[in-house]
Amino acid sequence: MSARTGRARREGRAGLAFVAPALGLIVVFFVVPVAAGFLLAATDFDIYAIGDLATARFVGLANFAALLRDPVFWKALLNTFYFVLVGGPLSVAVSLGAAMLLNVRVVRFKGLFRTVYFAPVVTTMVAVATVWRYLYHPRFGLLNQLLGAVGIGGVNWLGDPRWAMPAIILMSVWKNFGYNMIIFVAGLQSIPGTLYEAARVDGAGPWQQFRHITLPALRPMLVFVGIITMIGYFQLFTEPYVLTGGTGGPLNATLSLVMYMYKQGFRWWNIGFGAAVAFVLFLIILAGTLVQLRFQRERE
Amino acid sequence: MRKLAVATALYLVLAIGAVATLLPFAWMLSASLMQAGEASKWPPRFLPSQATLANYRALFERLDLGRCFLNSAFVATVSTVGALLIVSLAGYAFAKLRFPGRSQVYRVLLTAMVIPAQVAMLPMFLLLRTFGLVNTYWGVIIPALAPVFGIFMVRQYALSLPDELIDAARVDGAGEFAIYRKLIFPMLRPILVTFGVFSFIGAWNDFMWPLIVLTDERRYTLPVALANLIGEHAEDIELMMAGSVLTVLPVLLLFLVLQRTYVEGITMGGLKE
């Protein structure tokens, strides 16, 4: 008896010791900064406060009130929602389409196609965006040359406020769709082929099979993919940063929430204000996640 | 006949997709081998008239990007090795060792994953400033050492390890750390390779945090250096493409060599949820 409790105590001590390095780092470099971020958002912490902490004052919700009056913040919010609500579903749809193509039984060289489609995912966003900056060049860019060949003329992708966000969405879909595609391929493979055969015997066409077999079977996966894609897309930063040279232009057409936080906090050192922007981002992501989880539960 | 038409259409779509996916890379490589100014000549051409390595030479000799390459390699390697140790210990403990508060702490960790990292960035910068870690490699490395998704990956894998083996080692009088080191760590190898590839590629590609922490050009990682170069060399398309090739090539090669483990890691995270 005592030998066993002694062993259990040793196991408990070891367990705590093994998670201690990870938990210590997470507390110091995540929990404390997140808590401090919420506090910072309620102060006017700025460049003077970096030198002398005593100059920072508690301002309550003043930063949030200032945000609501700030047209640039609203623009950044709108841009971010544009990117998430158009780019997110588009990216998931392309992923699902590619996965279904790769899942057709007669297709050969599946591994090769999968590798090719996946390659952009592992590459460096900064380098890829550098390449696309030139692909989008209105005159020399490859994209406009190809469009010109089919008679579509001279879109000024990154120079026209109406086209800058679609350009970022197009590049992001190209870069990201391979990731969710892999998840969907695994999901499709787990659907038994007999289900489709039975449906065909009952006279179900391809659309009905998709609607009544494929989609329901993939539902848990769609929610998972939907949540991770949404969280990732709300954090839009590198794409507009590199494509627009750090400005979020033209006319703030590609300024995202995170970019606005970066500019306010790290370029102009309005740290309290920047923290308030980050807090808004957190609330939006939290709300979006809860909505998607609720949506799934209702369907069940 | 109809079957043949369907198959042809299928391959056509797949091939168009593959070409669209690869075209930006092909153009990047081709333009990086062009003479200065050739990529912005009219009419535009896809292939260099005479391939040259001059842009790559300029990167290393004039712009010192070789140094940034080493910075990136150092940061990615050290943060991956460190994270492997920390994450394997924690993941194993959360899966197999009973200690007070285990399931509650684990649940909190998973829930915290919805908090975007950007919320922590401004305070973390101030924190690193007081530690004197701003503009150091450690300022980039240390905050990345305990990724929750890594703990999650290792725990999921470790759950499937047989308890009997661990108990037998205990009966033989082995200490808990010895069990981890001699028994568990080798058995975790497959998942640690997967996580290692994830971690290295993630650290190599990371942009926002290194951009914030590293202020001295000599300490820039490749993505930060590249983003900085566009500012001054936006017109030197061929040079920028050589820089992009240099940045992308290591992770692309790593992926091609270890793609099976990488892809398995993704489906694991997706399916177990």
Side-chain angles (χ1 to χ4, degrees):
Chain A
M1 183 66 199
S2 73
R4 191 179 296 165
T5 52
R7 202 180 292 153
R9 204 175 305 136
R10 261 208 311 280
E11 185 184 328
R13 265 206 307 271
L16 286 171
F18 285 9
V19 296
L23 291 186
L25 282 163
I26 289 169
V27 167
V28 175
F29 292 102
F30 193 70
V31 178
V32 169
V34 166
F38 295 155
L39 290 177
L40 268 181
T43 69
D44 66 351
F45 204 106
D46 59 11
I47 189 147
Y48 303 107
I50 293 181
D52 177 10
L53 201 67
T55 65
R57 282 168 311 173
F58 180 75
V59 295
L61 296 174
N63 283 327
F64 294 97
L67 270 184
L68 296 180
R69 287 192 306 269
D70 178 2
V72 183
F73 166 74
W74 286 106
K75 184 79 184 135
L77 190 70
L78 203 70
N79 291 338
T80 307
F81 269 96
Y82 182 177
F83 181 70
V84 173
L85 293 180
V86 177
L90 190 65
S91 151
V92 172
V94 172
S95 304
L96 185 55
M100 289 176 61
L101 283 176
L102 286 185
N103 198 48
V104 176
R105 212 177 320 145
V106 294
V107 168
R108 295 222 244 146
F109 312 112
K110 281 185 177 133
L112 182 68
F113 283 118
R114 199 184 60 175
T115 304
V116 169
Y117 292 166
F118 192 79
V121 174
V122 298
T123 55
T124 317
M125 185 43 111
V126 172
V128 157
T130 306
V131 175
W132 279 76
R133 214 174 127 129
Y134 296 112
L135 295 181
Y136 280 139
H137 192 285
R139 196 163 140 79
F140 307 110
L142 200 58
L143 193 64
N144 273 4
Q145 288 177 49
L146 291 173
L147 289 176
V150 292
I152 302 170
V155 179
N156 189 0
W157 290 100
L158 298 171
D160 184 335
R162 281 170 309 167
W163 284 106
M165 189 53 90
I168 287 184
I169 290 173
L170 180 65
M171 180 184 79
S172 301
V173 170
W174 172 85
K175 169 92 165 66
N176 297 327
F177 82 92
Y179 190 88
N180 291 332
M181 177 192 78
I182 296 289
I183 297 177
F184 285 137
V185 166
L188 289 170
Q189 279 168 354
S190 67
I191 305 174
T194 49
L195 274 181
Y196 291 104
E197 274 156 38
R200 242 171 278 145
V201 170
D202 291 344
W207 169 250
Q208 281 167 315
Q209 290 175 33
F210 175 73
R211 178 80 187 64
H212 296 290
I213 299 175
T214 313
L215 270 189
L218 289 181
R219 177 150 301 130
M221 215 159 270
L222 275 165
V223 172
F224 172 77
V225 161
I227 290 175
I228 57 167
T229 304
M230 180 201 68
I231 293 180
Y233 271 43
F234 265 122
Q235 301 179 19
L236 175 70
F237 174 76
T238 307
E239 296 89 328
Y241 188 98
V242 177
L243 283 180
T244 68
T247 63
L251 298 174
N252 286 333
T254 61
L255 186 75
S256 66
L257 276 178
V258 175
M259 234 177 131
Y260 194 45
M261 179 212 89
Y262 173 82
K263 278 186 163 182
Q264 286 285 352
F266 290 107
R267 222 178 258 168
W268 304 324
W269 301 109
N270 297 323
I271 292 178
F273 192 82
V277 177
F279 187 70
V280 171
L281 178 76
F282 162 67
L283 288 182
I284 293 172
I285 289 181
L286 186 65
T289 307
L290 292 176
V291 166
Q292 294 204 45
L293 285 176
R294 157 73 58 84
F295 183 71
Q296 183 197 18
R297 256 177 235 134
E298 268 170 18
R299 281 307 185 93
E300 280 166 1
Chain B
M1 200 49 207
R2 200 171 154 260
K3 236 179 198 164
L4 188 71
V6 170
T8 313
L10 253 166
Y11 280 110
L12 199 65
V13 176
L14 282 168
I16 290 172
V19 169
T21 308
L22 291 179
L23 207 56
F25 294 124
W27 185 78
M28 164 181 79
L29 189 63
S30 170
S32 78
L33 299 171
M34 287 181 184
Q35 321 271 351
E38 204 180 342
S40 47
K41 270 215 186 84
W42 194 264
R45 46 186 311 145
F46 192 81
L47 293 173
S49 57
Q50 207 177 9
T52 170
L53 289 175
N55 301 308
Y56 291 92
R57 262 197 303 275
L59 284 184
F60 286 99
E61 287 167 10
R62 203 147 48 81
L63 300 171
D64 208 12
L65 236 58
R67 195 189 156 86
C68 299
F69 187 96
L70 293 179
N71 293 341
S72 272
F74 178 75
V75 166
T77 307
V78 174
S79 55
T80 299
V81 171
L84 275 174
L85 286 174
I86 288 166
V87 154
S88 65
L89 276 168
Y92 162 59
F94 276 121
K96 288 292 180 189
L97 299 178
R98 271 152 302 211
F99 57 89
R102 178 176 79 165
S103 54
Q104 291 90 331
V105 171
Y106 186 67
R107 218 167 320 130
V108 170
L109 282 185
L110 285 191
T111 315
M113 281 169 92
V114 283
I115 303 178
Q118 287 84 358
V119 175
M121 281 182 176
L122 285 160
M124 192 142 78
F125 181 83
L126 299 176
L127 185 75
L128 291 186
R129 239 186 122 260
T130 58
F131 292 163
L133 289 175
V134 168
N135 197 23
T136 66
Y137 301 125
W138 298 109
V140 180
I141 293 168
I142 295 174
L145 283 179
V148 174
F149 84 91
I151 298 174
F152 170 76
M153 273 170 98
V154 174
R155 176 181 175 271
Q156 295 303 91
Y157 190 87
L159 283 173
S160 66
L161 299 181
D163 285 318
E164 298 77 31
L165 271 177
I166 304 171
D167 285 333
R170 283 197 189 115
V171 171
D172 287 347
E176 292 293 336
F177 189 74
I179 293 175
Y180 159 78
R181 197 166 57 88
K182 295 201 183 114
L183 186 69
I184 303 298
F185 194 81
M187 286 198 288
L188 289 177
R189 230 188 82 127
I191 196 65
L192 292 181
V193 172
T194 303
F195 168 73
V197 180
F198 259 87
S199 170
F200 187 90
I201 292 179
W204 182 276
N205 290 342
D206 196 17
F207 177 58
M208 190 174 178
W209 186 243
L211 172 76
I212 290 167
V213 172
L214 303 172
T215 51
D216 177 359
E217 279 183 31
R218 291 169 51 77
R219 296 212 175 87
Y220 280 176
T221 55
L222 270 178
V224 181
L226 197 63
N228 188 46
L229 272 184
I230 313 184
E232 307 155 33
H233 294 272
E235 302 309 309
D236 303 331
I237 302 181
E238 304 78 13
L239 188 70
M240 291 308 304
M241 288 309 102
S244 301
V245 172
L246 182 71
T247 308
V248 161
L249 207 57
V251 275
L252 209 51
L253 288 178
L254 187 67
F255 161 67
L256 287 178
V257 174
L258 294 169
Q259 59 163 313
R260 181 162 298 174
T261 29
Y262 193 92
V263 165
E264 272 167 13
I266 292 172
T267 47
M268 212 192 89
L271 289 172
K272 293 271 170 67
E273 192 67 4

